[in-house]
Amino acid sequence: MSTNTQAEGQRSATAARIVWETADKFLRGVVEETEYGDYILPFTVLRRLECLLEPTKADVVRFIEDLVKKDTPAHFIDALVKRRFGLSFYNTSPLSLATIASVDDNVANSVTNYVSGFSHTIADIWTSFEFPRLVKKLDDANTLHQVVRHFSTLDLSAASMSNTAMGDLFEDVMYRAFDKKGKAAGAFYTPRDAIKLMVDVLFASDEDSLAGRNATRSIYDPTAGSGGMLLVAKDHLAELNPDIEVGLFGQELMDSAFALGKADLLIQGGEPDAIRQGDTLLKDEYEGQQFDYVLSNPPFGMDWSKQEKKVKEQSVVTGSRFSHGLPSKSDGQMLFLAHCASKLAPAGTAGQGGRAAVVSNASPLFNSDKGPNAIRQWLFDEDLIDAIISLPTQMFYGTGIATYVWILDTNKEDGRKGKIQLIDASGQWESMRRPMGDKRREMSEANRLAVHEAYKAFEDAAPSISHVMTPEDFMFRDVPVFKQSRLRTEVSDDALAVIAEHKAYTTEHEAVIRGLDGFVWNNLAGAFQQRCKNAGLKASIGLVDAVTKALGVQDDDAELAVDRKGNPVLLDGWKITERVPMSEDLDRHMAREVLPFAEGATWDESKAKEGNEIPFTRIFYVPEEPRPLAEIDADVARLMSELSELFQVVHADA
């Protein structure tokens, strides 16, 4: 890590601590501890916006006053301010937090009037934060003036806090806020190290085209949270090409996350409507649009019962985002995965297509329900899965479980077409000096580089952390396997009693049947028919089958049994299901994996059930070498010796 990066990190950490001091100084006893973040986050956003506007505010106010005198329509004013000053938002109030703090009269009215002076394009930020209610609560408790004065002293200017540092500050404050609430911050904020890894891999395949002149790219996040993914992706593109034009698009349901995300994107040069509010599953706010890049960290295990009616209505429309299958209502992750795939720009004549990075837990890899199977099969058939990366556990704020990143691509490089790369990055982590909830590990720059290099190398060789496979390797047939009986012929009174129930049986058949005792079972049908003929007796096919079935007794030393048509006779009560990859020849698989352990096994391919799974852990499993017996014996001998000495001491004391 560079010295500048370290210094910037220290500044953001210090600023976050100072921001949070508001709670301890002014909110304790006024609001519940779980609500601290509801107050601190809006005032932090307000102060940051104020600091960014301060250098040009006086000129902007005079400029707008002249436009208003000319009866210029409001939407024209927005456009003219942006053209003249490069601002997507502005404030026309003569007030500031400092001027409000300089007096202690009418503070609530002053704050409300000041906030209402912001351009209408960001009015929904304050609505979503419920800012008027917060102001009234603090004013009623006679602490609003202190809070305003505290924030007016914070230097959150661009010169003091870069966008990256400000993003780190928001991450820190958001974690504290949601930790106080007892909610998982991961539901609103994805850790920066995880986003950086996703972005590294997402852009790895496009680095050459991104460096071109007049390059433009669009980035979309359907579960935008507070906008962190969009901003990190934008910054990364700017590093690759400072002249690139980037359009940001997001959708977020939660009020507080939406407000913070919209503000953060505005702060960093985004458009006022870069994030739209709404439930992505109910309504796609960007319906009909597709994008160059899609990033998403959808909620794990989200119940989508509330959205069921609308989702099912969409699913019956051929080619729609949900038409490929529906998962169980208890886990909507694969709905978001399918949605992200549907939002990718198709491959163009110039070769460019869309790429996505989507976080999931392990469930979408192998959930065997009909819907998940169908969605995975669609992704396989369309060759959309470029890579899947397993992340370290304890990487996210709200969960310590195993997580994965799906990399989707509508136009793979030639060498990657028809293939899927699995990368095991579960060991690429460093311990955090200060754990944050369930997040106790982070991926350093070196860790991310190792994954990036593995992706670029596209190798399938031990001890690489990469495996390169085909979709067929994940598609399988569950083939029913039966064991063939070994039968000898044994005549008994019980067997004769069973045969006697057949309508074609007569007492004259008994002598013929008793004479077959000990006969080779495989030849039994023919022998019975011939002996009946010699005795002048009729032997219908039904009676022949009844006799052979009743006289057959399992005998492991006998030959493998076949019926009168030459078909194997299956052993009752013995059946297994063998999972055979589509990429393997069925007979060769059975000869290698089944027959050596189940002699006489047979199978019925016509009854096979097809499915798919991505058994990530099994693919990367490396068995540990057992300890040498000599070493184990030595340990046992040592322990026995120590126990013997202890017994001697006990007996001596007694």
Side-chain angles (χ1 to χ4, degrees), residues 95-114:
L95 297 170
S96 69
L97 291 180
T99 58
I100 296 172
S102 65
V103 295
D104 58 6
D105 293 332
N106 299 316
V107 176
N109 288 336
S110 297
V111 172
T112 301
N113 290 335
Y114 176 40

Side-chain angles (χ1 to χ4, degrees), residues 532-549:
C532 284
K533 182 178 180 182
N534 294 341
L537 299 172
K538 292 182 179 180
S540 66
I541 293 300
L543 181 59
V544 171
D545 289 342
V547 169
T548 55
K549 181 178 181 180

Side-chain angles (χ1 to χ4, degrees), residues 287-324:
E287 186 174 359
Q289 291 180 251
Q290 292 175 307
F291 306 94
D292 298 309
Y293 301 109
V294 175
L295 296 107
S296 180
N297 180 13
F300 299 165
M302 185 204 77
D303 186 293
W304 54 280
S305 299
K306 291 189 297 184
Q307 298 92 344
E308 181 183 7
K309 184 175 182 291
K310 289 290 186 181
V311 168
K312 285 188 172 179
E313 287 176 358
Q314 296 174 65
S315 71
V316 299
V317 179
T318 303
S320 68
R321 57 180 178 159
F322 300 140
S323 63
H324 311 289

Side-chain angles (χ1 to χ4, degrees), residues 33 46 49 435 549 610:
E33 189 175 3
L46 177 58
L49 296 178
K549 181 178 181 180
E610 296 182 357

Side-chain angles (χ1 to χ4, degrees), residues 477 479 580-581 584-591 603-605:
R477 294 159 283 179
V479 184
V580 184
E584 283 195 52
D585 177 81
L586 178 59
D587 292 338
R588 282 200 289 269
H589 176 94
M590 293 298 188
W603 49 89
D604 188 348
E605 186 176 4

Side-chain angles (χ1 to χ4, degrees), residues 101-408:
S102 65
V103 295
D104 58 6
D105 293 332
N106 299 316
V107 176
N109 288 336
S110 297
V111 172
T112 301
N113 290 335
Y114 176 40
V115 169
S116 66
F118 280 100
S119 49
H120 68 93
T121 52
I122 64 170
D124 52 359
I125 290 178
W126 313 113
T127 301
S128 296
F129 274 139
E130 298 185 48
F131 201 69
R133 179 183 66 82
L134 305 181
V135 168
K136 184 178 186 307
K137 176 78 171 181
L138 295 177
D139 188 50
D140 289 344
N142 295 316
T143 193
L144 177 61
H145 182 258
Q146 294 171 303
V147 171
V148 169
R149 185 169 56 193
H150 173 78
F151 276 96
S152 71
T153 64
L154 300 182
D155 184 3
L156 300 184
S157 65
S160 176
M161 297 285 290
S162 69
N163 287 338
T164 300
M166 198 66 207
D168 291 340
L169 185 153
F170 279 141
E171 181 172 13
D172 192 319
V173 173
M174 277 199 70
Y175 169 74
R176 294 174 190 244
F178 289 108
D179 187 48
K180 290 286 186 184
K181 278 184 178 291
K183 293 183 178 181
F188 307 90
Y189 214 105
T190 304
R192 291 298 176 99
D193 55 332
I195 301 174
K196 288 176 181 177
L197 174 71
M198 295 166 67
V199 169
D200 286 346
V201 177
L202 196 64
F203 298 154
S205 190
D206 295 340
E207 288 172 348
D208 292 339
S209 63
L210 289 171
R213 296 180 63 184
N214 301 319
T216 60
R217 292 293 187 273
S218 57
I219 309 172
Y220 167 68
D221 184 349
T223 53
S226 57
M229 284 190 171
L230 295 172
L231 293 171
V232 172
K234 178 186 176 185
D235 290 345
H236 192 89
L237 286 176
E239 290 176 6
L240 294 172
N241 183 352
D243 298 323
I244 195 169
E245 292 187 18
V246 181
L248 302 181
F249 307 85
Q251 186 167 340
E252 173 55 37
L253 174 62
M254 303 300 292
D255 287 340
S256 56
F258 163 74
L260 184 61
K262 178 166 183 173
D264 206 0
L265 261 65
L266 276 172
I267 287 166
Q268 302 200 36
E271 294 298 320
D273 66 342
I275 290 184
R276 299 174 184 175
Q277 190 168 18
D279 187 328
T280 299
L281 297 185
L282 286 178
K283 182 185 178 184
D284 176 10
E285 292 291 338
Y286 297 92
E287 186 174 359
Q289 291 180 251
Q290 292 175 307
F291 306 94
D292 298 309
Y293 301 109
V294 175
L295 296 107
S296 180
N297 180 13
F300 299 165
M302 185 204 77
D303 186 293
W304 54 280
S305 299
K306 291 189 297 184
Q307 298 92 344
E308 181 183 7
K309 184 175 182 291
K310 289 290 186 181
V311 168
K312 285 188 172 179
E313 287 176 358
Q314 296 174 65
S315 71
V316 299
V317 179
T318 303
S320 68
R321 57 180 178 159
F322 300 140
S323 63
H324 311 289
L326 298 178
S328 68
K329 287 183 289 186
S330 62
D331 188 357
Q333 285 181 92
M334 295 198 80
L335 292 177
F336 285 103
L337 187 63
H339 171 75
C340 290
S342 74
K343 302 302 289 183
L344 293 176
T349 55
Q352 182 180 328
R355 284 170 62 79
V358 185
V359 180
S360 82
N361 63 18
S363 177
L365 296 174
F366 53 75
N367 188 310
S368 59
D369 292 345
K370 182 179 178 181
N373 257 292
I375 295 171
R376 281 193 301 268
Q377 192 61 52
W378 166 62
L379 295 173
F380 290 149
D381 292 343
E382 297 297 320
D383 196 21
L384 288 174
I385 305 176
D386 180 33
I388 301 176
I389 304 166
S390 69
L391 299 179
T393 55
Q394 301 179 13
M395 269 282 290
F396 290 83
Y397 297 125
T399 178
I401 65 174
T403 50
Y404 301 81
V405 176
W406 296 61
I407 304 297
L408 308 180

